[in-house]
Amino acid sequence: MSAKPTRTGEFDLIAKYFAPLAKGEPGALNLKDDAAFLRPRPGHDLVVTTDAIVAGVHFFENDSPDVIARKALRVNISDLAAKGATPRAYLLTAVFPRDVDDAWVKAFAAGLKLDQKRFAITLIGGDTTSTPGPLTVNIVAIGEVPHGKMLTRAGAKPGDDVWVTGTIGDAALGLKVLNDALQLSEQHRKAVVARFHVPEPKPQLGHRLIGLAHACLDVSDGLVADLGHIAAESNVSIRIQAHDVPLSAAAKAALDKGVGLVDLVTGGDDYELAFTAPNAARPRLKALSRDTAIPLTRIGEVGKGRGVMLLDKNGNPVPYGRPGYTHF
Ligand code: ADP
Ligand code: MG
């Protein structure tokens, strides 16, 4: 075990592991220039977003490299999805501790390759640097929307329905399980840990919400907190029917074990889409859900006023304290 891990120099590392990911986007110039160029498809705007993930904050230091890579890419794709954008390209800033070796980078690149294919997105540039601190991966993702059509957090109107994709709370439960703060059956454990490690962004749905949704975002900090952002930016209030929030079988089992519903709707890392749409959109949303095989659940409504209210079956407010995760 005395052998030092193999570590190729920075430029060879880029050429060996990252340049193969840049094929397919001519503007990437094989990752051999100072910058890349990108021409949007005719009639489209570029949508740009960035998110960093940090060891010890967003993932565990010993998580496998492909899982870290996929999470980094997927949280950014989730932001594109929320804006109705189709993924196109991304830049990768890899901030690696010195003990990261070739095998690690190779597996990391393999994770990226897998998801590039899955989401039709290509690496076009980045930066690689060492750090005495925790491993950090920052991605800038770029997508395309029809000119002037990017979905925003503003635009929700009183009377709108509030919708959410998939199920809520699973990733927060995954984190609890990984921290040994919750015991679940093997099957449920696997399901929620997978949700924490590798989120499922939904760009195939997001772009079809253009023309249907009035306001949209992705749920990353907690459902209540994030709907609060729509309420604030749209100058409206939002009422959520707590018992209508879609839960997985694992989440239902967790409730039976004493986890509070409030923990699920204020936990983070869901990477589902939440949006508001007029009542008239219901039939088209139902069809869209069928087409994409992505569950859509109506969980509340938009009203006049301010803020987010969580209501129980009897219409009484459920106190929730902290609405979601914040870093500071
Ligand atoms: P510069 O010194 O001009 O800023 P760099 O030496 O940082 O350029 O990078 C050289 C090339 O390699 C650039 O095209 C850059 O986009 C690419 N690159 C560096 N690191 C990465 C990475 N982690 N992923 C993708 N491309 C990268
Ligand atoms: Mg340069």
Side-chain angles (χ1 to χ4, degrees), residues 160-166 168 219 223-224 227 238-247 265 273-275 296-302 308-311:
D160 278 359
D161 296 321
V162 179
W163 295 86
V164 69
T165 61
I168 293 296
V219 182
L223 179 67
V224 173
L227 286 176
I238 287 179
R239 288 183 304 276
I240 310 170
Q241 315 297 332
H243 52 279
D244 288 337
V245 173
L247 300 179
V265 296
L273 297 179
F275 59 94
L296 283 178
T297 309
R298 191 150 50 84
I299 58 167
E301 55 277 323
V302 177
V308 177
M309 234 206 278
L310 190 62
L311 301 172

Side-chain angles (χ1 to χ4, degrees), residues 11-311:
F11 292 112
D12 291 338
L13 203 73
I14 295 163
K16 202 161 158 189
Y17 299 115
F18 294 138
L21 300 174
K23 295 206 184 347
E25 190 65 67
L29 304 171
N30 292 317
L31 306 186
K32 282 186 179 157
D33 217 308
D34 295 311
F37 68 87
L38 201 59
R39 182 177 302 157
R41 280 184 288 157
H44 288 71
D45 294 335
L46 294 178
V47 175
V48 185
T49 186
T50 186
D51 252 318
I53 65 169
V54 180
V57 181
H58 302 91
F59 59 91
F60 291 86
E61 202 183 352
N62 293 323
D63 281 347
S64 65
D66 62 307
V67 161
I68 297 168
R70 297 171 79 198
K71 183 162 191 170
L73 188 51
R74 284 170 178 236
V75 298
N76 280 283
I77 289 174
S78 182
D79 278 323
L80 293 181
K83 303 302 97 188
T86 301
R88 167 84 187 268
Y90 69 102
L91 296 122
L92 166 70
T93 299
V95 183
F96 291 160
R98 289 186 184 281
D99 63 356
V100 161
D101 62 10
D102 268 39
W104 198 98
V105 180
K106 189 178 176 186
F108 181 83
L112 292 174
K113 185 177 179 186
L114 204 67
D115 276 354
Q116 283 196 192
K117 200 164 171 205
R118 164 89 197 276
F119 296 103
I121 191 167
T122 308
L123 182 64
I124 58 166
D127 197 16
T128 305
T129 164
S130 67
T131 177
L135 191 145
T136 300
V137 181
N138 182 65
I139 283 179
V140 174
I142 304 165
E144 294 173 328
V145 283
H147 185 58
K149 299 287 189 201
M150 187 180 96
L151 297 170
T152 71
R153 296 175 174 187
K157 293 188 175 56
D160 278 359
D161 296 321
V162 179
W163 295 86
V164 69
T165 61
T167 58
I168 293 296
D170 298 292
L173 292 173
L175 184 57
K176 272 190 204 293
V177 163
L178 290 168
N179 283 328
D180 285 327
L182 174 69
Q183 310 290 326
L184 290 175
S185 71
E186 188 55 25
Q187 187 195 357
H188 289 156
R189 182 190 154 85
K190 270 198 181 135
V192 296
V193 167
R195 280 290 299 268
F196 175 77
H197 278 152
V198 183
E200 262 322 307
K202 298 176 169 66
Q204 72 280 38
L205 184 94
H207 87 96
R208 293 180 67 178
L209 292 176
I210 291 175
L212 284 177
H214 281 158
C216 186
L217 50 55
D218 68 321
V219 182
S220 54
D221 297 332
L223 179 67
V224 173
D226 285 316
L227 286 176
H229 298 318
I230 287 187
E233 294 312 306
S234 300
N235 286 310
V236 295
S237 66
I238 287 179
R239 288 183 304 276
I240 310 170
Q241 315 297 332
H243 52 279
D244 288 337
V245 173
L247 300 179
S248 68
K252 286 175 186 159
L255 289 184
D256 288 342
K257 296 198 171 194
V259 171
L261 181 64
V262 166
D263 288 350
L264 303 183
V265 296
T266 61
D269 277 330
D270 293 298
Y271 298 104
E272 297 292 348
L273 297 179
F275 59 94
T276 82
N279 306 158
R282 286 179 193 176
R284 285 170 67 196
L285 288 169
K286 212 171 172 183
L288 181 55
S289 172
R290 213 171 32 236
D291 278 8
T292 55
I294 293 172
L296 283 178
T297 309
R298 191 150 50 84
I299 58 167
E301 55 277 323
V302 177
K304 291 188 174 140
R306 283 289 165 101
V308 177
M309 234 206 278
L310 190 62
L311 301 172

